[in-house]
Amino acid sequence: MSADLGQIQIQIHLGSKYSAVQNRVNEILGATGASSTSMDVDAMARAAIRGDYGNGDERKRRLGSYYSIVQRRVNEMLS
């Protein structure tokens, strides 16, 4: 539970810069490259559009730290 609270505090503190900072951290730690990450986000966004993650608070809960970036991509896909 405290890890979740810590994650929320970080997201609040960074605000709109959270995704960029998290992407940079992933690069530094050797996480997958941008193209792979982009495909994963696209797949998650398509699943969100299908309703696989529910909607509203349920979607936020199920996507966790990926919510902001996935929701942004959903909005881009539907605009």
Side-chain angles (χ1 to χ4, degrees):
M1 180 87 160
S2 63
D4 292 335
L5 179 58
Q7 187 68 23
I8 291 168
Q9 290 172 334
I10 290 169
Q11 288 176 340
I12 290 169
H13 179 73
L14 292 174
S16 64
K17 296 178 183 176
Y18 175 78
S19 294
V21 171
Q22 185 62 57
N23 288 341
R24 183 63 182 132
V25 168
N26 291 343
E27 287 174 17
I28 291 169
L29 296 176
T32 58
S35 62
S36 174
T37 302
S38 178
M39 289 190 321
D40 292 343
V41 170
D42 284 354
M44 292 173 77
R46 286 191 299 274
I49 291 168
R50 282 193 309 267
D52 294 358
Y53 298 107
N55 54 33
D57 288 338
E58 180 184 0
R59 181 183 289 180
K60 287 179 184 179
R61 180 184 60 77
R62 293 179 71 185
L63 288 171
S65 63
Y66 294 104
Y67 174 78
S68 295
I69 194 166
V70 171
Q71 189 61 48
R72 185 176 312 122
R73 186 64 181 129
V74 165
N75 295 341
E76 290 170 359
M77 290 176 154
L78 296 178
S79 66

